[in-house]
Amino acid sequence: MTAMQKLLQLPVNAVNMVKTVQSQVQGQEEDKSPVLTPDSGQQAWYSALQPDELRHLRSGGTGGGGGGGGDQEERAPLEEGGGGGGFQTQPLRHDDLKEMLDSNKDSLKLEAMKRIVAMIARGKNASDLFPAVVKNVACKNIEVKKLVYVYLVRYAEEQQDLALLSISTFQRGLKDPNQLIRASALRVLSSIRVTIIVPIMMLAIKEAASDMSPYVRKTAAHAIPKLYSLDPEQKDQLIEVIEKLLADKTTLVAGSVVMAFEEVCPERIDLIHKNYRKLCNLLIDVEEWGQVVIINMLTRYARTQFLNPNINESLLEEGGSGDKTFYGSDEDEDEDEEEKEKKAEAAAMAKRKPYVMDPDHRLLLRNTKPLLQSRNAAVVMAVAQLYFHLAPKAEVGVIAKALVRLLRSHSEVQYVVLQNVATMSIKRRGMFEPYLKSFYIRSTDPTQIKVLKLEVLTNLANETNISTILREFQTYIKSMDKDFVAATIQAIGRCATNISEVRDTCLNGLVQLLSNRDELVVAESVVVIKKLLQMQPEKHSDIIKHMAKLTDNIQVPMARASILWLIGEYCEHVPKIAPDVLRKMAKSFTNEEDIVKLQIINLAAKLYLTNSKQTKLLTQYVLNLAKYDQNYDIRDRARFIRQLIVPTEKSGALSKYAKKLFLALKPAPILESPFKDRDHFQLGSLSHLLNAKAGGYQELPDWPEAAPDPSVRNVEVPEWTKCSSREKRKEKKVEKPFYTDSEGESGPTESADSESDSASGSESSSGSEESGSGSESEESKEASESEEEEEEEEEEQKKKKKKDLKKPVQESESEQSSEEEERKHQRKSKPRKSESESESDEDEESESESSQSESEDSESEAEVKKKKKVQTRTAEPKPPPKPLKKESKKEKKEMSLLDLDDFEPAPSPQVTPVNTFLSNSLVTDLEGLSLSDSVLSPATIAPSSTLKSYELLHRITGEGLSVEYCFSRQPFSPDANMVAVQMQFTNNASSDTKNLHIEDVKLQSGMRVKEFPEIELLPAGETATAVMGIDFCDSTQAANFQLCTHTRKFFVSIQPPVGELMRPVFLTENEFKKEQGQLMGMNEITEKLTLDVKCRNEHAIVQRVTTAANLSRVPCGSDKECRFAGRTVTSGSLVLVTVATKEEGAAQLTVNCEKMVIGTMLVKDILQALTQ
Amino acid sequence: MIHSLFLINHLGDIFLEKHWKSVISRSVCDYFFEAREKAVDPENVPPVLQTPHHYLISIYRGKLFFLSVIQTEVPPLFVIEFLHRVADTFQDYFGGCSESVISDNVVIVYELLEEMLDNGFPLATESNVLKEMIRPPNILRSVVNTLTGTTVSAEIQGVIEACVKLSGMPDLTMSFMNPRLLDDVSFHPCVRFRRWESERILSFIPPDGNFTLMTYHISSQNLVAIPVYVKQSISFFEAGSCGRLDITIGPKQTMGKTVEDLKVTVHMPKAVLNANLTASQGNYTYDFTTKLLVWDIGKLNPQKLPNLRGSLSMQTGVPNPEENPSLNIDLKIQQLAISGLKVSRLDMYGETYKPFKGVKYVTKAGKFQVRT
């Protein structure tokens, strides 16, 4: 009968069984004599389970009888376990229980179930109650039901057929509207280990995997390994479900599904590609246990997909260690050479191709780092192993502190952590050196912890700290825990071998220990001394002499034996003493312990071979004594040695080689850590701890030689960001070798180590480059074709510039940016003009100002034209940076040289605001990627074309000097926490203004200002621009300072509108919702409003909001909602804005921000922007 | 992952078992008992044992072993951490974690275990998720500083334990007067990590009941002021087979606060048979089977320093111990956080009622050993 056929028959059977059970219930009730009931009206299937008296007879029987034949094997241990007098009364109790279960009262049922569960907990068999319990599976009372489930899961495997009775209840439960009931039904159903229901389980899992409730989906993920262990043939179908669940976007499911993945199909690493970035980003919000599983899995994943960040260093390292293998045989050396060549080649390759960390690799490292602060030791360990296996060497150090923290936890935790630290400290000693004292041993530590700490201390020992460590060791030697003392002596021995400076000190210390009373200590010391002396015996004949003297005092047999061995082995170094020792020993031979006697024979033999003149008689005497010893071992040895060393006519060819046999050079033992090379196991794993592969262990793969295609991780994104950023980027790199070349100088090693937030390194440079272009096109949202052309032109120029190598890179860059600023400026003023024409209320500025700006416009246009001309003449030197531009045009030749000197060494703030858009900020790589994605869809990103200018200094009060400022919305590259303020100085006076600079800055606490570089000369009628940075500390407090010229000082102040205190960030719709969900309550401000008539379409809303605040648009499915996101510049708090439109211009504005003051002010500003 | 769990008392009886996958016979524990025999102290049982078919990972808590059976590769810390979480949950539920307590509540224990693991994988481990509780608007928190120090090295580590009983979804922020002191911290998952990174403010929506909000470590540059000093002399004489012991404890840098619950524990060498001592304050006991001398002093009176002196009788014929035992000192100082860490304020957002707030500072000796 196949499983399916059985299944089809099930309903009939089940119905019958239920009937019988019911009839019996009735019978019992009528009978009202529970004690007698088991005997009355028994059915065939039922008799197999009952009554208890029968159990004794049946135990050990076949157990196959009847449909519900219980597993009899289970009974045998049970009867022992039951133990005590309670067992005798049990049969009766079971009848009680059955009666209670059959009653109508829930309270009685509950009481019975509680007692049954208590039996299970104590390991007593309760399987005979199965039929009585299983009926209650449909019980309405939740408490009873829960306990029935507990019972069912425990015994279903033993009573498969009966268990089928419950299935229909669960199937009903799977359809329940309540998600908790659905989940619990699936949980129990999948826990019932009955093979017949595999198809039902499969179906249930598949359905639950697409359930609306994430909790049910999580349960489905949990059910997958259960089904897999029940029937491995379902693997393929289960993998489909796993694939589906892996795509799930909730944190609740993520951990569970990865666990299922690890148990069912850990080899299918390809399933992870598409979900990699999502998993990285979700990680911090996943529950702790899921984090552990995900991190471990991602470690393996990263090892298959990314390049070794330490490629250059590890090659060097290995090259170094190659020299160390001189212990090996000659053949090995040949191989080594070949290997070395290979390595050298590889190294050369690596040098040619500088290592660039994959942004996804970086993403993983960055997103796991905060978890080092987790309270869960397993999570911390998981992150630590991830860093150890994946991070560039320079970054691994961060894990040390967290691991040391775990050492203050429970001793079991310490035990595991220390094992891992021991392995790590061999590879990366420097990492733990600052925490040396944390590994000091307390007398209350359990021995195993002590030994591990000792191991770590030994690994950490070096020339500088060895004296401290040895002093510490001296304390340990006095400990009462003798195993620990022995381990300490071993440790001293290892320190002595590793650090030649202290070898003598250690030896002397150990020699002193030889007089210790404790046999173990002495034996251990002698053994260690022996090992140390073997390394360079010729140097230490005095120690051997000293030890020879000790034979008079030391009584510990093991120590005596070791000393004798030493003297025998190095008898040539102590030619005078050795025979004398033998003489003494011969005297006391009969009183010695066996091991000592054996060594006396050895000593005698060796001396006979080297110095037969003096010792011939002594040897014969000893051998004669041994010949009559009680111990047969000693007698045998004596006979054997006599044959070997004393030549007789019978003795064969062997005696010729006696000297070779006895005095062969014995190799010095290598004292090395048992933890050496244990890191080929993934750290933190059970296999690592046992130093043996545990079942189900997944090998940590080696790094690939070349990185597999990274585009597999690209996720298909909604229409608006369809274009692959990666390809774009590559193109750009090809287009602009300019950047890569200049950065390339910083070299491969640096780039390998560079952190994302450091501006150096090719990774960040490429990021900045891309974002630079991003912000550029953001600016030019109007996207006029002419501008694009301009850009191309620029590109060409750059190339030309590159050829024209006379100019240093920085200058050309700065110059370019200043050009850009200028263009921007021009652009900015244009729309303003047009706006003021169309909308009168927008025109807030004073008349004089607008007229001024108009004149300015024409002026700057002219300027640009001029400049273009200049640019096209490539042979000519480039005009110098902005502030002095006018001047430089007039006196080009001389000034350009001068500028070089002035501006080269200290790049001014206005240099490169565009190019380093992201490099300093904390925006993640991923965000960086998506930013560039969104660049290609101008509609999604807010236009910031209309920058508002504010007056800083009026022409009249400024005595001819007028200053305007605007918030350029560019990141301020010298300090990411500052808001860039672009100032435009116009000299309307008839005389030149000199030495324009800032003085006497008065700020609220916490605020900071980065001044613009002094403008030396502003000729009459000219205009200059400069950028300064202000850190407003996320407040709208004004920054007050004095603007000074060579003649005057003006008190001025800059007060930012709240919208300028933020910078745009890119969020996806989901991220937005998630973040918004976390910023509820006090952090949320909602206002109703009526939109201005001109502002009823999406475009207008977007434009007005982004004008009011420096935010970026968040893509959104619905056209009724516009969302915007940003972060405050100083603290990086999220600012989320939602404008939901309704009919007839009604709308609702929601602002979510942790900083409530900013939120409130922002609401006011946006409200105004949208209603007017 | 975790296949089965056995709870074993100090006598080696299995008094509870729970299986999450198919049943494993309790005979698997024999390997553990073997290792338990070998180790003299229960603390010395290796937490991870290998048997032919299974791996046994155990923890020792409250004189009980929590022994889990594992079949395949799993991070050992994962299991250890989980077992401790189980013990913590029992502690939280029943106020203790002894055999009698567990046996008395076996059904609840079983239900808890059922919820905490599904197929051997942790499911719900948060106390507040497992627990339904009444939530009066009341919050009390205490900063417990644990001081660990010897003359060799001293460090301060501390925890902030919170007891929150607030209804609704209160969003709390807690700030410190001197967050710079904190060197290394770890948080309860409810704490918003980014906020801490940027502002050094603990911002969180608390779970209900008792939980550990944060543990921290004070940077080692700050010198630890050890609150007491100890003058001791312990000597053993070869001739008379006896020894002398003299211990005095005095206050040092207590900042005017009283040192309480002062206790000195000495693990005597095997040869010490009995102690005949007089304590100027408090009581002393000497257990000659465990060789543990415990001197319970209580409050430290700065005017009259507590002193314990007298003679030790030694086993004759046994050589004198070459090492003097080290002294373990326990103490507690109320109203003082020796780290100097101070809570500046605690604010609640998201709910309108006014909560009761309180903070309690306590300093405790962690593993304070005086080497002699």
Side-chain angles (χ1 to χ4, degrees), chain A residues 587-719:
Chain A
K587 232 164 136 185
S588 63
F589 185 87
T590 46
N591 298 325
E592 297 289 349
E593 290 278 331
D594 291 348
I595 43 165
V596 185
K597 285 178 181 167
L598 287 173
Q599 289 306 328
I600 297 173
I601 300 173
N602 277 346
L603 173 66
K606 283 172 188 167
L607 282 175
Y608 181 87
L609 289 171
T610 51
N611 186 6
S612 60
K613 215 190 206 172
Q614 277 187 297
T615 57
K616 193 174 177 184
L617 284 171
L618 267 175
T619 307
Q620 275 178 349
Y621 175 68
V622 167
L623 288 176
N624 280 333
L625 281 176
K627 197 175 168 183
Y628 300 104
D629 199 88
Q630 284 190 316
N631 187 303
Y632 58 82
D633 251 357
I634 294 170
R635 294 198 299 271
D636 283 354
R637 180 74 64 92
R639 211 169 293 138
F640 162 71
I641 284 182
R642 190 192 294 272
Q643 291 300 316
L644 206 62
I645 58 171
V646 185
T648 58
E649 37 321 339
K650 268 192 187 173
S651 68
L654 265 182
S655 64
K656 272 188 265 174
Y657 302 105
K659 205 167 184 173
K660 265 195 178 167
L661 284 173
F662 279 98
L663 295 171
L665 196 66
K666 280 121 190 142
I670 301 160
L671 299 176
E672 63 180 18
S673 169
F675 288 89
K676 192 170 182 277
D677 288 335
R678 226 191 249 192
D679 61 333
H680 65 269
F681 286 115
Q682 186 166 359
L683 267 82
S685 68
L686 184 61
S687 305
H688 168 266
L689 191 122
L690 299 168
N691 201 16
K693 221 191 255 180
Y697 173 73
Q698 296 291 317
E699 291 277 0
L700 194 64
D702 271 337
W703 295 100
E705 298 261 308
D709 181 14
S711 64
V712 288
R713 282 182 294 278
N714 286 352
V715 185
E716 279 185 37
V717 279
E719 273 300 272

Side-chain angles (χ1 to χ4, degrees), chain A residues 907-979:
Chain A
S908 55
Q910 70 256 54
V911 172
T912 67
V914 177
N915 286 325
T916 52
F917 180 47
L918 277 180
S919 60
N920 286 353
S921 65
L922 290 169
V923 183
T924 63
D925 271 352
L926 188 80
E927 278 169 339
L929 279 173
S930 7
L931 254 178
S932 65
D933 277 345
S934 50
V935 162
L936 302 161
S937 55
T940 60
I941 287 287
S944 46
S945 54
T946 46
L947 291 178
K948 205 166 158 187
S949 275
Y950 305 85
E951 185 173 78
L952 189 66
L953 188 63
H954 193 267
R955 186 171 57 171
I956 296 177
T957 43
E959 294 171 7
L961 178 71
S962 72
V963 185
E964 281 185 27
Y965 67 92
C966 67
F967 296 92
S968 64
R969 299 197 171 180
Q970 301 276 337
F972 188 66
S973 58
D975 188 329
N977 285 342
M978 289 192 175
V979 177

Side-chain angles (χ1 to χ4, degrees), chain A residues 121-122 187 226 289 373 375 377 401 405 408 412 443 447-448 472 478 517 684-687 695, chain B residues 17 26 43-44 60 73 76 81 84 114 118 125-126 157 183-187 320 323 369 371:
Chain A
R122 260 175 267 132
R187 228 183 112 190
K226 296 185 207 170
W289 312 105
Q373 240 81 44
R375 61 161 177 180
K401 193 187 262 184
R405 166 167 21 94
R408 298 172 206 128
E412 296 89 2
S443 62
T447 309
Q448 53 207 348
E472 193 60 21
K478 292 185 210 143
R517 254 198 329 254
S685 68
L686 184 61
S687 305
Chain B
E17 62 179 72
R26 40 169 79 185
E43 284 93 357
N44 283 345
Y60 185 66
E73 170 65 47
E81 182 79 27
H84 276 296
E114 185 78 28
D118 182 16
T125 52
E126 281 301 317
Q157 68 185 92
D183 174 40
D184 182 36
V185 286
S186 71
F187 301 116
N320 277 339
E323 176 209 30
Q369 269 183 17
R371 289 179 181 172

Side-chain angles (χ1 to χ4, degrees), chain A residues 441 450-458 473 476 484 487-488 491:
Chain A
I441 291 153
K450 286 181 187 162
V451 172
L452 284 169
K453 280 186 173 174
L454 211 52
E455 174 68 37
V456 175
L457 284 174
T458 315
F473 282 177
Y476 303 160
F484 168 54
T488 309

Side-chain angles (χ1 to χ4, degrees), chain A residues 833-850:
Chain A
K833 204 166 87 183
S834 60
E835 247 175 47
S836 63
E837 275 167 11
S838 59
E839 274 177 50
S840 55
D841 49 355
E842 185 76 22
D843 211 348
E844 285 166 9
E845 294 115 301
S846 67
E847 269 199 280
S848 64
E849 197 188 313
S850 64

